[in-house]
Every structure is written in structure tokens, then in C-alpha cells.
Amino acid sequence: MLTIWGRANSVNVQKVLWCCKELGLAYDRIDAGLQFGRNNEPDYLAMNPMGRVPTLVDGDFVLWESNSIIRYLAMQYGPDNKNDTLYPAEPKVRASADRWLDWALSTLQPAERPVFWGYIRTNAADRDMKQLAAAASEVEKLWHVVDAHLKGRDYLEGGTFTLADLVIAAYARRWFGIAELARPELEHWYIGITQRAGFQRYVSPALT
Ligand SMILES: N[C@@H](CCC(=O)N[C@@H](CS)C(=O)NCC(=O)O)C(=O)O
């Protein structure tokens, strides 16, 4: 049995939960982070010295970093252990999917995090609207790049639903919880993804 540590309203935890659903994996989840605490206690830090969520425990194997966790799950538990759909084995398709995972953590999340926190986790009276509008306009530019890439495609890479779609859609849900769906290609792709059971169960719930 897998154990996933982390609160269910964390986008990085949501990716892992959704990935488990795509792969049909059972798991126990233990709340940790923010109001649940635990992530800075010694036993947690022994598993994950970053004190962040999620952390995956699979028997005696412990792994942190959400994108590394979903890659591991797809490789370890995907069909035939090769998973040629969720995490395609073909090197060019895999690398193309991987770049979105890397881009999400290196570029998209740092840009969207202040916007998410500003609108969702800050009281209206305490918001710096000028700063938030400037930050949101930077995030919008990033979504325009995704929109342009999606022209003529149903999925980000390889013609099937992959980890790239899973990760980018998890952030898209946060963005569209705040902003308008104003780009046709992005909207077409996103609406398709929202039909997936894992998205509906783990990512779609109200932003908190
Ligand atoms: N790059 C890491 C980021 C992990 C991270 O920053 N997680 C946030 C939640 S999204 C966290 O642990 N925040 C502190 C907390 O919840 O107490 C990953 O993708 O797993």
C-alpha cells in the first residue's frame, strides 16, 4: 500500500492523487502541511528534509518532489511497467512531456503562486491589487504560450493524455478559478481534461 503525505488542497499533492487515480492505485493519505502541521516534525523531516508536501512512501522507498513522484508511479505501476500512455516510453515524446513538468515547477508555479495566494488565501481587504494585477498579467502571458502550443492538438504531447496534461491542468484549474477562460485552444484542451474522473475528484474541488 502506498502512503501519500500531504493536505488535499495542495496542487502538488493533487497531482499525485490524480496520478494514482489514472493508474488505479490504492493509497492512504495523511494530512500534513499548513493548518495540519506535521511537516516540520523530526519524523517527517527524516522522510523529507525539505519539510514540504507531498511525500510518497512505497514500502521502504520514500520520495519527495511531486513531479518525481508521478514519474515514479507511472514507471513503476503503469501498464507493462513501461507506461506508453501516461508517461510515454518513446524518448522524444517522453522528453517533450518532461519539459512541461520542468516548466511547471521552474516557471509556471513561481509565477502563479503569488496570484493564487493573493486571491484565494488573502482577505480581500489585505490584497495589494496593483501588485496582484501585475503578477496576473505575467501568468496570463505564460498561458498564452500554452494556448499557442495546443493549436491543432487535443493533448500537450504525443496525441494522448500524459503526465504533461495532468500537471499543466492542475495549475490551469487554479488559474481558471481566478481568471477567465479566454483562449480557444486552451479552453478546448481544458474542457476535455475536466471530464477525467481524477481531475473531478482531486483537482476540481473549490480552491482553498
Ligand atoms: N517542488 C515541490 C514543492 C513542494 C511544496 O512547496 N509544497 C507546498 C504545498 S503546494 C508545501 O509543502 N507548503 C508548505 C505547507 O503546506 O505547509 C513539489 O513539487 O513537491
Side-chain angles (χ1 to χ4, degrees), residues 144-193:
H144 289 181
V145 175
V146 181
D147 178 70
H149 174 83
L150 281 166
K151 192 163 175 54
R153 303 170 202 250
D154 289 331
Y155 298 100
L156 281 165
E157 300 296 343
T160 60
F161 178 83
T162 69
L163 292 180
D165 300 288
L166 185 153
V167 165
I168 300 302
Y171 294 104
R173 191 273 173 268
R174 283 162 58 116
W175 178 246
F176 297 136
I178 295 166
E180 292 287 309
L181 257 178
R183 307 296 290 197
E185 312 296 338
L186 196 56
E187 181 170 357
H188 167 76
W189 165 82
Y190 184 68
I191 286 170
I193 303 282

Short mmCIF file of all heavy atoms in Angstrom, two decimals, residues 144-193:
data_model
loop_
_atom_site.label_atom_id
_atom_site.label_comp_id
_atom_site.label_asym_id
_atom_site.label_seq_id
_atom_site.Cartn_x
_atom_site.Cartn_y
_atom_site.Cartn_z
N HIS A 144 -0.78 32.03 -22.53
CA HIS A 144 -0.87 32.27 -23.97
C HIS A 144 0.10 31.35 -24.72
O HIS A 144 -0.19 30.90 -25.82
CB HIS A 144 -0.56 33.74 -24.29
CG HIS A 144 -1.64 34.66 -23.86
ND1 HIS A 144 -1.60 36.02 -24.05
CD2 HIS A 144 -2.81 34.43 -23.21
CE1 HIS A 144 -2.69 36.58 -23.54
NE2 HIS A 144 -3.43 35.63 -23.02
N VAL A 145 1.25 31.09 -24.10
CA VAL A 145 2.22 30.18 -24.74
C VAL A 145 1.63 28.77 -24.81
O VAL A 145 1.74 28.08 -25.84
CB VAL A 145 3.55 30.18 -23.95
CG1 VAL A 145 4.52 29.15 -24.52
CG2 VAL A 145 4.18 31.57 -23.94
N VAL A 146 0.99 28.35 -23.75
CA VAL A 146 0.37 27.01 -23.75
C VAL A 146 -0.74 26.97 -24.80
O VAL A 146 -0.86 26.00 -25.57
CB VAL A 146 -0.19 26.66 -22.35
CG1 VAL A 146 -0.81 25.26 -22.35
CG2 VAL A 146 0.91 26.75 -21.28
N ASP A 147 -1.51 28.02 -24.85
CA ASP A 147 -2.61 28.10 -25.83
C ASP A 147 -2.06 27.95 -27.26
O ASP A 147 -2.60 27.18 -28.06
CB ASP A 147 -3.31 29.45 -25.66
CG ASP A 147 -4.42 29.66 -26.67
OD1 ASP A 147 -5.44 28.97 -26.57
OD2 ASP A 147 -4.25 30.50 -27.57
N ALA A 148 -0.99 28.66 -27.56
CA ALA A 148 -0.42 28.59 -28.91
C ALA A 148 0.10 27.18 -29.20
O ALA A 148 -0.08 26.65 -30.30
CB ALA A 148 0.71 29.61 -29.04
N HIS A 149 0.72 26.56 -28.21
CA HIS A 149 1.24 25.21 -28.40
C HIS A 149 0.12 24.22 -28.70
O HIS A 149 0.29 23.25 -29.44
CB HIS A 149 2.01 24.77 -27.15
CG HIS A 149 2.46 23.35 -27.20
ND1 HIS A 149 3.63 22.95 -27.84
CD2 HIS A 149 1.90 22.21 -26.73
CE1 HIS A 149 3.76 21.65 -27.74
NE2 HIS A 149 2.73 21.16 -27.08
N LEU A 150 -1.05 24.46 -28.10
CA LEU A 150 -2.15 23.50 -28.21
C LEU A 150 -2.89 23.58 -29.54
O LEU A 150 -3.75 22.74 -29.81
CB LEU A 150 -3.14 23.71 -27.05
CG LEU A 150 -2.71 23.10 -25.71
CD1 LEU A 150 -3.55 23.67 -24.57
CD2 LEU A 150 -2.79 21.58 -25.74
N LYS A 151 -2.55 24.55 -30.35
CA LYS A 151 -3.26 24.69 -31.63
C LYS A 151 -3.15 23.38 -32.42
O LYS A 151 -2.05 22.87 -32.63
CB LYS A 151 -2.69 25.85 -32.44
CG LYS A 151 -3.55 26.23 -33.60
CD LYS A 151 -3.21 27.61 -34.13
CE LYS A 151 -3.99 27.96 -35.38
NZ LYS A 151 -5.45 27.81 -35.24
N GLY A 152 -4.29 22.83 -32.80
CA GLY A 152 -4.30 21.59 -33.59
C GLY A 152 -4.05 20.34 -32.77
O GLY A 152 -3.86 19.26 -33.32
N ARG A 153 -4.02 20.45 -31.45
CA ARG A 153 -3.77 19.27 -30.60
C ARG A 153 -4.89 19.11 -29.57
O ARG A 153 -5.41 20.10 -29.06
CB ARG A 153 -2.48 19.42 -29.79
CG ARG A 153 -1.24 19.68 -30.59
CD ARG A 153 -0.11 20.05 -29.61
NE ARG A 153 0.92 20.79 -30.29
CZ ARG A 153 2.13 20.31 -30.56
NH1 ARG A 153 2.47 19.10 -30.17
NH2 ARG A 153 3.02 21.04 -31.20
N ASP A 154 -5.15 17.84 -29.22
CA ASP A 154 -6.08 17.58 -28.12
C ASP A 154 -5.34 17.47 -26.80
O ASP A 154 -5.92 17.66 -25.73
CB ASP A 154 -6.85 16.27 -28.36
CG ASP A 154 -7.84 16.41 -29.50
OD1 ASP A 154 -8.33 17.54 -29.70
OD2 ASP A 154 -8.10 15.41 -30.19
N TYR A 155 -4.05 17.09 -26.88
CA TYR A 155 -3.23 16.92 -25.68
C TYR A 155 -1.89 17.60 -25.92
O TYR A 155 -1.49 17.82 -27.06
CB TYR A 155 -3.01 15.43 -25.38
CG TYR A 155 -4.30 14.71 -25.10
CD1 TYR A 155 -4.92 13.94 -26.08
CD2 TYR A 155 -4.92 14.83 -23.86
CE1 TYR A 155 -6.13 13.30 -25.84
CE2 TYR A 155 -6.12 14.20 -23.60
CZ TYR A 155 -6.72 13.43 -24.59
OH TYR A 155 -7.92 12.82 -24.34
N LEU A 156 -1.16 17.85 -24.83
CA LEU A 156 0.07 18.62 -24.97
C LEU A 156 1.11 17.91 -25.82
O LEU A 156 1.79 18.53 -26.64
CB LEU A 156 0.65 18.94 -23.59
CG LEU A 156 -0.05 20.11 -22.87
CD1 LEU A 156 0.31 20.13 -21.40
CD2 LEU A 156 0.33 21.44 -23.52
N GLU A 157 1.27 16.60 -25.59
CA GLU A 157 2.33 15.87 -26.31
C GLU A 157 1.86 14.47 -26.69
O GLU A 157 1.19 13.81 -25.89
CB GLU A 157 3.59 15.74 -25.45
CG GLU A 157 4.20 17.06 -25.02
CD GLU A 157 4.72 17.93 -26.17
OE1 GLU A 157 4.92 17.42 -27.30
OE2 GLU A 157 4.93 19.14 -25.93
N GLY A 158 2.27 14.03 -27.87
CA GLY A 158 2.13 12.62 -28.24
C GLY A 158 0.74 12.16 -28.59
O GLY A 158 0.54 10.97 -28.85
N GLY A 159 -0.23 13.07 -28.60
CA GLY A 159 -1.58 12.70 -29.04
C GLY A 159 -2.42 11.95 -28.02
O GLY A 159 -3.54 11.54 -28.32
N THR A 160 -1.87 11.72 -26.82
CA THR A 160 -2.67 11.07 -25.77
C THR A 160 -2.48 11.85 -24.46
O THR A 160 -1.55 12.65 -24.34
CB THR A 160 -2.22 9.61 -25.51
OG1 THR A 160 -0.84 9.63 -25.11
CG2 THR A 160 -2.38 8.73 -26.74
N PHE A 161 -3.34 11.54 -23.50
CA PHE A 161 -3.23 12.17 -22.19
C PHE A 161 -1.96 11.66 -21.50
O PHE A 161 -1.76 10.46 -21.35
CB PHE A 161 -4.46 11.80 -21.34
CG PHE A 161 -4.42 12.36 -19.96
CD1 PHE A 161 -4.81 13.67 -19.71
CD2 PHE A 161 -3.98 11.59 -18.90
CE1 PHE A 161 -4.78 14.19 -18.43
CE2 PHE A 161 -3.94 12.10 -17.60
CZ PHE A 161 -4.33 13.41 -17.38
N THR A 162 -1.10 12.59 -21.11
CA THR A 162 0.16 12.22 -20.44
C THR A 162 0.30 13.01 -19.14
O THR A 162 -0.51 13.89 -18.83
CB THR A 162 1.40 12.52 -21.31
OG1 THR A 162 1.54 13.95 -21.41
CG2 THR A 162 1.30 11.90 -22.70
N LEU A 163 1.39 12.73 -18.44
CA LEU A 163 1.70 13.48 -17.21
C LEU A 163 1.79 14.98 -17.49
O LEU A 163 1.53 15.79 -16.61
CB LEU A 163 3.01 12.98 -16.59
CG LEU A 163 2.99 11.57 -16.01
CD1 LEU A 163 4.37 11.23 -15.43
CD2 LEU A 163 1.92 11.40 -14.94
N ALA A 164 2.16 15.34 -18.70
CA ALA A 164 2.24 16.77 -19.04
C ALA A 164 0.87 17.41 -18.91
O ALA A 164 0.72 18.49 -18.31
CB ALA A 164 2.79 16.95 -20.46
N ASP A 165 -0.16 16.74 -19.44
CA ASP A 165 -1.52 17.29 -19.33
C ASP A 165 -1.97 17.33 -17.87
O ASP A 165 -2.59 18.30 -17.43
CB ASP A 165 -2.50 16.42 -20.14
CG ASP A 165 -2.13 16.38 -21.60
OD1 ASP A 165 -2.31 17.40 -22.28
OD2 ASP A 165 -1.62 15.34 -22.06
N LEU A 166 -1.63 16.27 -17.15
CA LEU A 166 -2.05 16.19 -15.75
C LEU A 166 -1.47 17.37 -14.95
O LEU A 166 -2.19 18.06 -14.21
CB LEU A 166 -1.60 14.84 -15.18
CG LEU A 166 -2.02 14.45 -13.77
CD1 LEU A 166 -2.09 12.92 -13.63
CD2 LEU A 166 -1.06 14.99 -12.71
N VAL A 167 -0.19 17.59 -15.13
CA VAL A 167 0.47 18.65 -14.34
C VAL A 167 -0.02 20.03 -14.77
O VAL A 167 -0.39 20.86 -13.92
CB VAL A 167 2.00 18.53 -14.49
CG1 VAL A 167 2.71 19.79 -14.02
CG2 VAL A 167 2.50 17.31 -13.72
N ILE A 168 -0.05 20.28 -16.06
CA ILE A 168 -0.44 21.63 -16.51
C ILE A 168 -1.91 21.90 -16.18
O ILE A 168 -2.28 23.01 -15.80
CB ILE A 168 -0.13 21.81 -18.02
CG1 ILE A 168 1.39 21.63 -18.28
CG2 ILE A 168 -0.61 23.17 -18.52
CD1 ILE A 168 2.30 22.57 -17.51
N ALA A 169 -2.75 20.86 -16.27
CA ALA A 169 -4.17 21.06 -15.95
C ALA A 169 -4.37 21.34 -14.46
O ALA A 169 -5.29 22.08 -14.09
CB ALA A 169 -4.98 19.83 -16.36
N ALA A 170 -3.52 20.78 -13.61
CA ALA A 170 -3.66 21.06 -12.17
C ALA A 170 -3.44 22.56 -11.90
O ALA A 170 -4.15 23.17 -11.09
CB ALA A 170 -2.68 20.21 -11.37
N TYR A 171 -2.48 23.16 -12.61
CA TYR A 171 -2.26 24.61 -12.46
C TYR A 171 -3.34 25.42 -13.20
O TYR A 171 -3.72 26.50 -12.76
CB TYR A 171 -0.87 25.00 -12.96
CG TYR A 171 0.22 24.41 -12.10
CD1 TYR A 171 0.95 23.32 -12.53
CD2 TYR A 171 0.49 24.93 -10.84
CE1 TYR A 171 1.93 22.74 -11.73
CE2 TYR A 171 1.46 24.38 -10.03
CZ TYR A 171 2.18 23.28 -10.48
OH TYR A 171 3.13 22.72 -9.68
N ALA A 172 -3.79 24.86 -14.34
CA ALA A 172 -4.84 25.57 -15.09
C ALA A 172 -6.09 25.72 -14.23
O ALA A 172 -6.75 26.76 -14.25
CB ALA A 172 -5.16 24.81 -16.38
N ARG A 173 -6.40 24.69 -13.45
CA ARG A 173 -7.59 24.77 -12.60
C ARG A 173 -7.47 25.94 -11.60
O ARG A 173 -8.42 26.65 -11.33
CB ARG A 173 -7.78 23.44 -11.85
CG ARG A 173 -9.12 23.30 -11.13
CD ARG A 173 -9.08 23.90 -9.75
NE ARG A 173 -10.37 23.93 -9.10
CZ ARG A 173 -11.21 24.96 -9.15
NH1 ARG A 173 -10.95 26.02 -9.90
NH2 ARG A 173 -12.33 24.95 -8.46
N ARG A 174 -6.26 26.13 -11.08
CA ARG A 174 -6.06 27.25 -10.16
C ARG A 174 -6.23 28.58 -10.88
O ARG A 174 -6.84 29.51 -10.36
CB ARG A 174 -4.66 27.16 -9.52
CG ARG A 174 -4.60 26.12 -8.43
CD ARG A 174 -3.20 25.70 -8.07
NE ARG A 174 -2.27 26.69 -7.63
CZ ARG A 174 -1.72 26.73 -6.40
NH1 ARG A 174 -2.05 25.83 -5.51
NH2 ARG A 174 -0.81 27.62 -6.09
N TRP A 175 -5.68 28.64 -12.08
CA TRP A 175 -5.76 29.89 -12.84
C TRP A 175 -7.21 30.20 -13.23
O TRP A 175 -7.68 31.32 -13.06
CB TRP A 175 -4.86 29.78 -14.07
CG TRP A 175 -4.89 30.97 -14.96
CD1 TRP A 175 -5.36 31.02 -16.23
CD2 TRP A 175 -4.44 32.30 -14.66
NE1 TRP A 175 -5.24 32.29 -16.74
CE2 TRP A 175 -4.67 33.09 -15.80
CE3 TRP A 175 -3.88 32.89 -13.53
CZ2 TRP A 175 -4.36 34.44 -15.85
CZ3 TRP A 175 -3.56 34.25 -13.57
CH2 TRP A 175 -3.80 35.01 -14.72
N PHE A 176 -7.91 29.18 -13.73
CA PHE A 176 -9.28 29.43 -14.17
C PHE A 176 -10.25 29.56 -12.99
O PHE A 176 -11.40 29.94 -13.19
CB PHE A 176 -9.73 28.35 -15.15
CG PHE A 176 -8.91 28.34 -16.41
CD1 PHE A 176 -8.45 27.16 -16.96
CD2 PHE A 176 -8.57 29.54 -17.03
CE1 PHE A 176 -7.67 27.16 -18.10
CE2 PHE A 176 -7.78 29.55 -18.17
CZ PHE A 176 -7.34 28.36 -18.72
N GLY A 177 -9.78 29.25 -11.81
CA GLY A 177 -10.58 29.55 -10.63
C GLY A 177 -10.55 31.04 -10.30
O GLY A 177 -11.33 31.53 -9.49
N ILE A 178 -9.61 31.74 -10.95
CA ILE A 178 -9.42 33.16 -10.66
C ILE A 178 -9.71 34.01 -11.90
O ILE A 178 -10.32 35.06 -11.82
CB ILE A 178 -7.95 33.40 -10.22
CG1 ILE A 178 -7.68 32.69 -8.89
CG2 ILE A 178 -7.63 34.89 -10.12
CD1 ILE A 178 -6.21 32.59 -8.53
N ALA A 179 -9.26 33.51 -13.07
CA ALA A 179 -9.31 34.30 -14.30
C ALA A 179 -10.28 33.69 -15.31
O ALA A 179 -10.81 32.61 -15.11
CB ALA A 179 -7.91 34.39 -14.90
N GLU A 180 -10.47 34.42 -16.40
CA GLU A 180 -11.37 33.96 -17.46
C GLU A 180 -10.70 32.94 -18.36
O GLU A 180 -9.50 33.00 -18.58
CB GLU A 180 -11.76 35.16 -18.34
CG GLU A 180 -12.62 36.19 -17.65
CD GLU A 180 -14.04 35.69 -17.47
OE1 GLU A 180 -14.64 35.23 -18.45
OE2 GLU A 180 -14.54 35.75 -16.33
N LEU A 181 -11.50 32.03 -18.91
CA LEU A 181 -11.02 31.09 -19.94
C LEU A 181 -11.13 31.80 -21.28
O LEU A 181 -12.14 31.68 -21.96
CB LEU A 181 -11.97 29.90 -19.97
CG LEU A 181 -11.59 28.59 -19.33
CD1 LEU A 181 -12.75 27.62 -19.48
CD2 LEU A 181 -10.35 27.99 -19.91
N ALA A 182 -10.11 32.56 -21.65
CA ALA A 182 -10.32 33.40 -22.83
C ALA A 182 -9.54 32.95 -24.06
O ALA A 182 -9.50 33.66 -25.04
CB ALA A 182 -9.98 34.84 -22.49
N ARG A 183 -8.90 31.80 -24.03
CA ARG A 183 -8.10 31.35 -25.17
C ARG A 183 -8.71 30.07 -25.74
O ARG A 183 -8.86 29.09 -25.02
CB ARG A 183 -6.66 31.10 -24.75
CG ARG A 183 -6.00 32.25 -24.04
CD ARG A 183 -5.84 33.48 -24.88
NE ARG A 183 -4.87 33.35 -25.93
CZ ARG A 183 -4.34 34.39 -26.59
NH1 ARG A 183 -4.69 35.61 -26.27
NH2 ARG A 183 -3.47 34.19 -27.55
N PRO A 184 -9.06 30.06 -27.03
CA PRO A 184 -9.83 28.94 -27.58
C PRO A 184 -9.15 27.58 -27.49
O PRO A 184 -9.80 26.59 -27.16
CB PRO A 184 -10.05 29.34 -29.04
CG PRO A 184 -9.08 30.45 -29.30
CD PRO A 184 -8.79 31.11 -27.99
N GLU A 185 -7.85 27.52 -27.78
CA GLU A 185 -7.17 26.21 -27.78
C GLU A 185 -7.06 25.68 -26.33
O GLU A 185 -7.27 24.51 -26.07
CB GLU A 185 -5.77 26.32 -28.39
CG GLU A 185 -5.69 27.05 -29.71
CD GLU A 185 -6.44 26.35 -30.82
OE1 GLU A 185 -6.67 25.13 -30.71
OE2 GLU A 185 -6.81 27.04 -31.79
N LEU A 186 -6.71 26.58 -25.46
CA LEU A 186 -6.59 26.23 -24.05
C LEU A 186 -7.94 25.77 -23.50
O LEU A 186 -8.04 24.77 -22.78
CB LEU A 186 -6.12 27.49 -23.30
CG LEU A 186 -5.55 27.36 -21.91
CD1 LEU A 186 -4.38 26.40 -21.88
CD2 LEU A 186 -5.09 28.74 -21.41
N GLU A 187 -8.97 26.45 -23.88
CA GLU A 187 -10.31 26.12 -23.41
C GLU A 187 -10.73 24.73 -23.92
O GLU A 187 -11.23 23.90 -23.15
CB GLU A 187 -11.29 27.19 -23.90
CG GLU A 187 -12.71 26.93 -23.42
CD GLU A 187 -13.65 28.10 -23.68
OE1 GLU A 187 -13.19 29.15 -24.18
OE2 GLU A 187 -14.83 27.96 -23.39
N HIS A 188 -10.48 24.48 -25.19
CA HIS A 188 -10.82 23.18 -25.79
C HIS A 188 -10.10 22.06 -25.04
O HIS A 188 -10.71 21.05 -24.65
CB HIS A 188 -10.42 23.20 -27.27
CG HIS A 188 -10.44 21.85 -27.93
ND1 HIS A 188 -11.62 21.23 -28.29
CD2 HIS A 188 -9.45 20.99 -28.24
CE1 HIS A 188 -11.34 20.04 -28.82
NE2 HIS A 188 -10.03 19.87 -28.79
N TRP A 189 -8.81 22.24 -24.83
CA TRP A 189 -8.00 21.23 -24.12
C TRP A 189 -8.48 21.06 -22.69
O TRP A 189 -8.72 19.95 -22.22
CB TRP A 189 -6.53 21.68 -24.16
CG TRP A 189 -5.62 20.99 -23.21
CD1 TRP A 189 -5.02 19.77 -23.40
CD2 TRP A 189 -5.18 21.47 -21.94
NE1 TRP A 189 -4.24 19.47 -22.31
CE2 TRP A 189 -4.32 20.49 -21.40
CE3 TRP A 189 -5.42 22.62 -21.20
CZ2 TRP A 189 -3.71 20.63 -20.15
CZ3 TRP A 189 -4.82 22.77 -19.96
CH2 TRP A 189 -3.97 21.78 -19.45
N TYR A 190 -8.67 22.18 -22.02
CA TYR A 190 -9.02 22.14 -20.59
C TYR A 190 -10.38 21.47 -20.38
O TYR A 190 -10.54 20.64 -19.49
CB TYR A 190 -9.03 23.57 -20.04
CG TYR A 190 -9.28 23.64 -18.55
CD1 TYR A 190 -8.35 23.16 -17.65
CD2 TYR A 190 -10.46 24.20 -18.05
CE1 TYR A 190 -8.58 23.22 -16.28
CE2 TYR A 190 -10.69 24.27 -16.69
CZ TYR A 190 -9.74 23.78 -15.81
OH TYR A 190 -9.97 23.84 -14.46
N ILE A 191 -11.33 21.80 -21.21
CA ILE A 191 -12.68 21.22 -21.05
C ILE A 191 -12.60 19.70 -21.23
O ILE A 191 -13.24 18.94 -20.50
CB ILE A 191 -13.69 21.91 -22.00
CG1 ILE A 191 -13.98 23.30 -21.43
CG2 ILE A 191 -14.98 21.10 -22.13
CD1 ILE A 191 -14.77 24.21 -22.32
N GLY A 192 -11.78 19.27 -22.18
CA GLY A 192 -11.58 17.81 -22.36
C GLY A 192 -11.01 17.17 -21.09
O GLY A 192 -11.48 16.12 -20.63
N ILE A 193 -10.02 17.82 -20.52
CA ILE A 193 -9.35 17.25 -19.34
C ILE A 193 -10.29 17.22 -18.13
O ILE A 193 -10.24 16.30 -17.32
CB ILE A 193 -8.09 18.09 -18.98
CG1 ILE A 193 -7.13 18.18 -20.14
CG2 ILE A 193 -7.41 17.55 -17.71
CD1 ILE A 193 -6.27 17.02 -20.40
#
